[in-house]
Amino acid sequence: MRNSTLSQSIRLALLCSLSTPALVFSQFSLADEDKADKDIEVIAVTGSRIRQIGAESVSPIISIGEKELAFQQEPEVEQILRNLPATIPGDGSNVNNGSAGASTIDLRGLGSQRSLILMDGRRMIPFNYNGSVDSSTIPSALIKSIDIVTGGASATYGSDAIAGAVNVILKNDFEGIDLDIKHARTGDNDGDKNSIALTLGSSLADGKGNAAISLSWMKRDEIRLGDRPLGLLGIDTESGANYEQFLNGEPPVPAPSDCSAPNSVAAGGSTTAIPTRFAIVGGGASASGQFRNDGSLQSDTCSVFNFNPYNFYQTPTERYSATALAHYDVNDDHQVYTNFSFTNTSVDTQVAPSGTFGASFDLPLRNPLIGDQARQFMIDAGNTALASNLLNSSNWQDINGNGVVDQDDYLRVQLRRRTEELGARTERYDSEQFQFVVGTRGLLAGDWEYDAYYQYGESNRTTVRAGYTNLTNIQNALDTFDGVTCNNGDATCVPINLFGGFGTITDEMAGYAQAIALQQQKYSQEIATVIVNGPVEYIQLPTADAPLAMSFGYETRTEKGLFEPDECLKLAPSSCQGGAGGNQLPIEGGFKVDEFFLEGALPILADLPAAQSLDLSFGYRWADYDTVGNNETWKLGFNWRPVESVLFRVMQQQATRAPNVGEIASPVVTGLDNAKYDPCSVGNPNAIDATLRQLCISTGMSDAQVGNVQDVVSGQVSVISGSDPANPPGAEQADTFTAGIVWTPEFDFADGLTLTVDYYDIDIQDIIGSFSAQEILDSCYVLGDTTECAKIQRIGGDLTVAGAGIQQFTTNLKYQRAEGVEVGFNIAFDLTDYGQLEFSGTANKYLTQETQSSDTQSILDCKGYYGTSCDPIAELQWIQRTTWNYEDTTVSLQWRHSDSIEIEPGERAGVYEAFREIDSYDYFDLFASYTFNENTKFTFGIDNLFEKDPPVVGNEAGDTSSNSGNTFPSNYDVLGRKFKMGVKFQF
């Protein structure tokens, strides 16, 4: 049962010859080729449960070995994987507004929920009800290798492996003591990242087993947008406002003196500003204005709020983790094993101070905190709106019944006030996650083996949200006739003054007006699996050298998710927290699935002319969900090796993904989504014709409101989302196809040459998701689709007022597809007295990267584009590494390349010319190590060696989570040059 040297060499050689080799060469030295052992063990490769001698993967596999992991000097797995051409960045350290406080992995740009994350071939516990795994919980110090298999692997591993699977393989035979200390800091002397990992391991009972434990700590410091020139000010994507100031190294243009306030600027920020902006809900463009610091109210606007400096380019976090694994040979035929991991993480995100944003309030015009001039402005604006038929019972209370607006009345208004006095908005994610596995494996009879295990995992998370405004309390505080007490009779209520600039909110007012909220999540996963595999001796073709190898298995899996917000967050249509983007309601749900699966590998030809080997692979999985019923997946492929140095491989698979807990159990809530413009608003760049006017009216607007309501604010619009109670989504289905060639010739002048070329096509039907807000707006107002018009709910003609919104229920959309070619190479040269030189690389070229929500929607092509619907996806990406090994010294240079990309064609007209394209980017990372003695090794590295600046696109060029600080922080290096150093002690 124990690994032999030869079996390890076989595995390494297979990974080198069958994987994209850019990273795998680092796993072995040339001397390993000469090692041998008498005991040969059957093995399995990622993507299959078949165990056999000389197993070869039919699907393309990228493998990252220990040597490459050491080059990266990263304690965070997500940071390593995001640089691969096969991935695009998911949630992580550079996502702030929109982060879930986790690190996710997104293969082929198909979404982290479609990438299955495994540890030693077994599922990892998701961190939330959306089914995504937090890769920060992976014990990096114990990683032996990371295998990434492309294309659907559902027949092997079950649901969620549509884009592929990431299999983290741990060291199960570690012996000794390993202390690894790492430190990283940017060239600006900030953003420190420190980590310590202590690993202890020992063999048991004269080699009959092994036990190891790894303890680690990691801390990452914050870097704010205001710590970098690019993040100091907001740059407007549409107009380019503030771009010249950035290029000239100038600070933001401050607001005029009568509108001055902390971070109050002339352009490039939020309309929720200081001083307060005023508008009568549904009152038209003339019924709006902005206060001045002296309390007066003017029809023109004088400032916006620069929200940039508060946000994070790098979020702070602290992590403690412990992993223990052991196995013991009960006898020669049976082994017991166990694995336990625990992680405690704290992640902080922060955005600019809260405010009243698009909230609407019933304001008594006799409120004494309103100045006389401002009160008269409101009365005049109200009567003008009344004359234009823009006032009715929804936005005006004629208290004295005299038919005109006067100071005895109430107006429904928007007061867009940034509450700087309350401090920044923060969210702290405190998580504890554990998972354990107990199992036994061994021989059943003859060469048939079994593996039976039980695993359970649980994730518990508490999120504290502070710095937000309490909208309910602010409404109470505005309703005052004496400025001292509130009309609701609550003695704790403190009237608030929003009718001016910074400082009008006192500490007492802030204490009553703020809201701190708490939410908790719990997720559990329970799995029991039994697998048997071995040769079917009586099925062997006469042309083959081995019989059919089979694997049979049964798995039962139960997953449960719970989300519990406090009463503050439950309030509808908008929670008590202003600036939180709607309300939240409890989620509780789960599913149970029973699965039967089989796999086979049938040798067809062996040792024949033009067919040194030809093997057929197949698999089938039947699953029964208590939510979506039965589904089936299968795979069929072959490996053909005409000569020793050439391997052809082809695989066709059908994959599936059942809806996760969040997709089937989310209640209907309000929130925010990205949109470019409201066609019925003042922001419509085109003339509103009669057809469009009627469509606008059909969605709840009066004729007078059409073209007069405010546009989308800060690139976001109110939405109503959740699981459709009448039509829950069904499972996704995907057809995946891969075909490739591996060439491993032998030359006298080079060692270990490997060249791979693989084509992949992942076509997903009935993808689970929701129509984007802009898709619904365009379908209604551009295409005239009345079904989509019914999803639009306006209040006072507006889409930004609380209670208004666009209905976005989770459903099955039409399709999503990723198609491309991946090329890899690996070669080494022996320089005799001057050491060894190694070259490796991998490149990915997308041929297709598109999605379509429905037959009536246009196809969204994201290949080579970025925008509010497309995270940046370059058509061509590569990484290339050059390594020189000489005695105790290693020097390695990594080259990261990303092709140029353009703004989505449909958004081009509304984007400033300089922001319509991002040039190709090349980064170079340097690594060096020196082995001082057999116990001590020093490492040093520089990422972004030439300190290339990130591209500038403004703050509205993409969705909120990916586009921040005027760029795309997860896709491009925003922190500048980064220095890394470390020391490892081994005993």
Side-chain angles (χ1 to χ4, degrees), residues 148 159 166 213 631 673 757 848:
I148 302 171
S159 179
V166 178
I213 183 170
N631 65 52
D673 191 21
V757 180
T848 305

Side-chain angles (χ1 to χ4, degrees), residues 182-194 221 223 228 314 941-943 975-981:
K182 294 184 176 74
H183 171 74
R185 171 177 287 192
T186 73
D188 292 282
N189 293 319
D190 60 6
D192 287 20
K193 184 189 294 186
N194 296 291
D221 290 348
I223 297 179
R228 296 292 184 272
Q314 177 173 282
I942 306 176
D943 288 353
L975 308 182
R977 188 181 290 121
K978 184 188 296 184
F979 296 92
K980 299 177 177 180
M981 59 197 72

